[in-house]
Amino acid sequence: KVNDNSTEICLLNGHTYIHNVTLDYLGSVLDPIQFHRVSRQYLLSYDAIYEIEHHEDRKLLIHLKKPCKEKIVVSKAKAAEFLRWMQKR
């Protein structure tokens, strides 16, 4: 998750790290089969996803195995791409 000028990296084991790398950079070095950029603020691991539900106006709401304080919503413009990524798994 992006916070101001830093990126918060949350792991499934509960550890959180703050780095000065961008999500664009992380997206370029991480395995695209395992990780997907779902919004401007979030890059998710397939393993972190617990459930996906349809949300208002053809958007998707992502629930994580480790609950997040904020709602992670995939826009209707990115929803089809996200679902294709999920199906490739």
Side-chain angles (χ1 to χ4, degrees):
K1 177 187 172 208
V2 175
N3 290 317
D4 299 319
N5 293 325
S6 63
T7 300
E8 183 178 336
I9 301 170
C10 301
L11 304 181
L12 286 174
N13 66 10
H15 289 99
T16 300
Y17 300 92
I18 305 294
H19 286 281
N20 291 329
V21 295
T22 65
L23 288 186
D24 287 335
Y25 172 76
L26 289 173
S28 72
V29 297
L30 295 172
D31 182 357
I33 293 173
Q34 185 65 28
F35 293 89
H36 188 78
R37 179 84 177 259
V38 295
S39 69
R40 290 180 185 171
Q41 289 188 307
Y42 289 97
L43 179 97
L44 297 180
S45 165
Y46 176 82
D47 294 336
I49 298 169
Y50 174 71
E51 182 179 43
I52 302 163
E53 71 177 78
H54 291 280
H55 197 53
E56 59 191 51
D57 197 27
R58 296 186 287 154
K59 298 176 185 175
L60 301 171
L61 181 62
I62 309 297
H63 298 279
L64 302 178
K65 291 177 182 173
K66 180 184 176 278
C68 185
K69 295 175 190 173
E70 300 172 10
K71 286 185 179 180
I72 300 176
V73 177
V74 180
S75 70
K76 65 181 179 181
K78 293 185 174 239
E81 177 187 346
F82 175 75
L83 291 173
R84 281 192 298 275
W85 173 76
M86 290 293 294
Q87 288 177 343
K88 290 180 183 179
R89 303 282 306 135

